[in-house]
Amino acid sequence: QLVQSGAEVKKPGASVKVSCKASGYTFSTYDISWVRQAPGQGLEWMGWIRNYNGNTNYAQKFQGRVTMTTDSSTSTAYMELTNLRSDDTAVYFCARVFVSLCDYWGQGTLVTVSS
Amino acid sequence: DIQMTQSPSSLSASVGDRVTITCRASQGIANYLAWYQQKPGKVPKLLIYTASTLQSGVPSRFSGSGFGTDFTLTISSLQPEDVATYYCQKYNSAPWTFGQGTKVEIK
């Protein structure tokens, strides 16, 4: 099970940090990916973090603005997005990664960017 | 980056109909292709991986095929609970790009 933090409202230019707490499996054994979905739109892959060594791979679109981390002591993954714009308004999902597949998903976190 | 293009973008079919969705990659991805189902207001669910392998618990009316650049998702007999948007995703290498989605409705 992946349980994400609650909805956020941010102003343009601010940052947001979404958490994703894992339970029911050995956290360190699987990687975590982040996917977002703007209102009424499709799924957009943001990147993934390898849990065993912390290596990350970000979609080029988010390079320089996104940071993905994990905390194995609390089995929690984090995704921070900076310099928010109105078009960052979306539901952000974390997903457990098994051989590059997103096999379990968090419930999603709505991030609204509005002045 | 490799682009993933799905067609059609939406379709409407009757219960019991055979439904086919296609996904085309701009470059070859072998069989590193997954399909996800997202029901309205719900979280995406992994349906098929390696182009044709059903995830555990997925009904057998779903099937996938293809290799290289052209892939299909088939629902052999459409059921009311299959109303959803279906996404393909490549995962041979990052970025793990999704297709734009195909919305399936009941006629």
Short mmCIF file of all heavy atoms in Angstrom, two decimals, chain B residues 5 9 15 37-38 41 48 50-51 54-57 62 64 70 72-73 78 84 101 103:
data_model
loop_
_atom_site.label_atom_id
_atom_site.label_comp_id
_atom_site.label_asym_id
_atom_site.label_seq_id
_atom_site.Cartn_x
_atom_site.Cartn_y
_atom_site.Cartn_z
N THR B 5 1.98 6.76 -29.59
CA THR B 5 0.75 7.29 -30.16
C THR B 5 -0.33 6.23 -30.13
O THR B 5 -0.16 5.14 -30.69
CB THR B 5 0.98 7.75 -31.60
OG1 THR B 5 2.05 8.71 -31.62
CG2 THR B 5 -0.28 8.39 -32.16
N SER B 9 -8.56 7.90 -30.05
CA SER B 9 -8.50 8.62 -28.78
C SER B 9 -9.72 8.29 -27.93
O SER B 9 -9.67 8.39 -26.70
CB SER B 9 -8.40 10.12 -29.01
OG SER B 9 -9.47 10.56 -29.81
N VAL B 15 -22.00 -3.57 -25.28
CA VAL B 15 -21.62 -4.70 -24.42
C VAL B 15 -21.53 -5.96 -25.27
O VAL B 15 -22.42 -6.23 -26.11
CB VAL B 15 -22.65 -4.87 -23.29
CG1 VAL B 15 -22.38 -6.14 -22.51
CG2 VAL B 15 -22.62 -3.66 -22.35
N GLN B 37 -5.11 0.55 -17.11
CA GLN B 37 -6.52 0.91 -17.15
C GLN B 37 -6.78 1.92 -16.04
O GLN B 37 -6.37 1.71 -14.90
CB GLN B 37 -7.38 -0.33 -16.90
CG GLN B 37 -8.87 -0.10 -16.79
CD GLN B 37 -9.58 -1.31 -16.21
OE1 GLN B 37 -9.32 -1.74 -15.10
NE2 GLN B 37 -10.48 -1.89 -17.00
N GLN B 38 -7.44 3.02 -16.37
CA GLN B 38 -7.81 3.99 -15.35
C GLN B 38 -9.31 4.23 -15.44
O GLN B 38 -9.80 4.87 -16.38
CB GLN B 38 -7.05 5.31 -15.50
CG GLN B 38 -7.33 6.27 -14.34
CD GLN B 38 -6.54 7.56 -14.44
OE1 GLN B 38 -6.24 8.04 -15.53
NE2 GLN B 38 -6.22 8.15 -13.29
N GLY B 41 -12.16 8.56 -12.00
CA GLY B 41 -11.93 8.92 -10.61
C GLY B 41 -11.06 7.96 -9.83
O GLY B 41 -10.92 8.09 -8.62
N ILE B 48 -1.40 -5.22 -18.41
CA ILE B 48 -0.59 -6.09 -19.26
C ILE B 48 0.83 -5.55 -19.29
O ILE B 48 1.04 -4.33 -19.32
CB ILE B 48 -1.17 -6.15 -20.69
CG1 ILE B 48 -2.48 -6.94 -20.72
CG2 ILE B 48 -0.18 -6.71 -21.70
CD1 ILE B 48 -3.24 -6.87 -22.03
N THR B 50 5.09 -6.65 -20.80
CA THR B 50 5.82 -7.32 -21.89
C THR B 50 4.89 -7.58 -23.07
O THR B 50 4.88 -8.65 -23.68
CB THR B 50 6.50 -8.64 -21.45
OG1 THR B 50 5.52 -9.53 -20.91
CG2 THR B 50 7.57 -8.36 -20.42
N ALA B 51 4.07 -6.58 -23.36
CA ALA B 51 3.16 -6.54 -24.50
C ALA B 51 1.98 -7.51 -24.44
O ALA B 51 0.90 -7.20 -24.97
CB ALA B 51 3.92 -6.75 -25.81
N LEU B 54 -0.64 -10.96 -19.02
CA LEU B 54 -1.67 -10.39 -18.15
C LEU B 54 -1.17 -10.31 -16.71
O LEU B 54 -0.62 -11.29 -16.18
CB LEU B 54 -2.94 -11.25 -18.19
CG LEU B 54 -4.10 -10.71 -19.00
CD1 LEU B 54 -3.73 -10.55 -20.46
CD2 LEU B 54 -5.33 -11.60 -18.86
N GLN B 55 -1.38 -9.15 -16.10
CA GLN B 55 -1.10 -9.02 -14.67
C GLN B 55 -2.06 -9.93 -13.91
O GLN B 55 -3.19 -10.17 -14.36
CB GLN B 55 -1.26 -7.55 -14.25
CG GLN B 55 -1.11 -7.25 -12.77
CD GLN B 55 0.32 -7.34 -12.26
OE1 GLN B 55 1.15 -8.07 -12.82
NE2 GLN B 55 0.62 -6.61 -11.20
N SER B 56 -1.61 -10.43 -12.78
CA SER B 56 -2.43 -11.30 -11.95
C SER B 56 -3.79 -10.66 -11.65
O SER B 56 -3.85 -9.48 -11.28
CB SER B 56 -1.70 -11.61 -10.64
OG SER B 56 -2.49 -12.36 -9.79
N GLY B 57 -4.85 -11.43 -11.82
CA GLY B 57 -6.19 -10.96 -11.50
C GLY B 57 -6.92 -10.26 -12.63
O GLY B 57 -8.11 -9.95 -12.49
N PHE B 62 -9.15 -9.63 -21.65
CA PHE B 62 -8.11 -8.68 -22.06
C PHE B 62 -6.93 -9.45 -22.64
O PHE B 62 -6.50 -10.47 -22.09
CB PHE B 62 -7.63 -7.84 -20.87
CG PHE B 62 -8.63 -6.86 -20.35
CD1 PHE B 62 -9.49 -7.21 -19.33
CD2 PHE B 62 -8.71 -5.58 -20.90
CE1 PHE B 62 -10.43 -6.31 -18.85
CE2 PHE B 62 -9.64 -4.67 -20.42
CZ PHE B 62 -10.50 -5.03 -19.40
N GLY B 64 -3.10 -8.70 -25.11
CA GLY B 64 -2.22 -7.76 -25.78
C GLY B 64 -1.32 -8.48 -26.75
O GLY B 64 -1.04 -9.67 -26.59
N ASP B 70 4.55 -1.65 -33.13
CA ASP B 70 3.08 -1.71 -33.21
C ASP B 70 2.50 -2.72 -32.22
O ASP B 70 2.90 -3.89 -32.22
CB ASP B 70 2.64 -2.05 -34.62
CG ASP B 70 2.99 -0.96 -35.61
OD1 ASP B 70 2.67 0.20 -35.33
OD2 ASP B 70 3.61 -1.26 -36.64
N THR B 72 -1.21 -3.85 -29.81
CA THR B 72 -2.66 -3.76 -29.66
C THR B 72 -3.10 -4.29 -28.30
O THR B 72 -2.49 -5.21 -27.75
CB THR B 72 -3.40 -4.55 -30.74
OG1 THR B 72 -3.03 -5.93 -30.65
CG2 THR B 72 -3.10 -4.03 -32.13
N LEU B 73 -4.15 -3.67 -27.79
CA LEU B 73 -4.86 -4.14 -26.62
C LEU B 73 -6.26 -4.53 -27.11
O LEU B 73 -6.92 -3.72 -27.77
CB LEU B 73 -4.97 -3.07 -25.55
CG LEU B 73 -5.90 -3.37 -24.37
CD1 LEU B 73 -5.33 -4.50 -23.52
CD2 LEU B 73 -6.13 -2.12 -23.52
N LEU B 78 -16.64 -6.74 -24.53
CA LEU B 78 -16.69 -5.55 -23.68
C LEU B 78 -17.76 -5.68 -22.60
O LEU B 78 -18.91 -6.06 -22.88
CB LEU B 78 -16.95 -4.32 -24.54
CG LEU B 78 -16.90 -2.97 -23.83
CD1 LEU B 78 -15.46 -2.65 -23.37
CD2 LEU B 78 -17.43 -1.87 -24.76
N ALA B 84 -13.41 2.92 -19.12
CA ALA B 84 -12.15 3.43 -18.56
C ALA B 84 -11.36 4.09 -19.67
O ALA B 84 -11.73 4.03 -20.85
CB ALA B 84 -11.33 2.28 -17.97
N GLY B 101 -3.72 8.07 -24.31
CA GLY B 101 -4.91 7.45 -23.73
C GLY B 101 -6.01 7.22 -24.74
O GLY B 101 -6.15 7.95 -25.73
N LYS B 103 -10.15 6.50 -24.49
CA LYS B 103 -11.33 6.45 -23.62
C LYS B 103 -12.34 5.48 -24.22
O LYS B 103 -12.75 5.64 -25.37
CB LYS B 103 -11.93 7.83 -23.46
CG LYS B 103 -13.07 7.92 -22.45
CD LYS B 103 -13.51 9.35 -22.25
CE LYS B 103 -14.56 9.48 -21.18
NZ LYS B 103 -14.97 10.89 -20.97
#
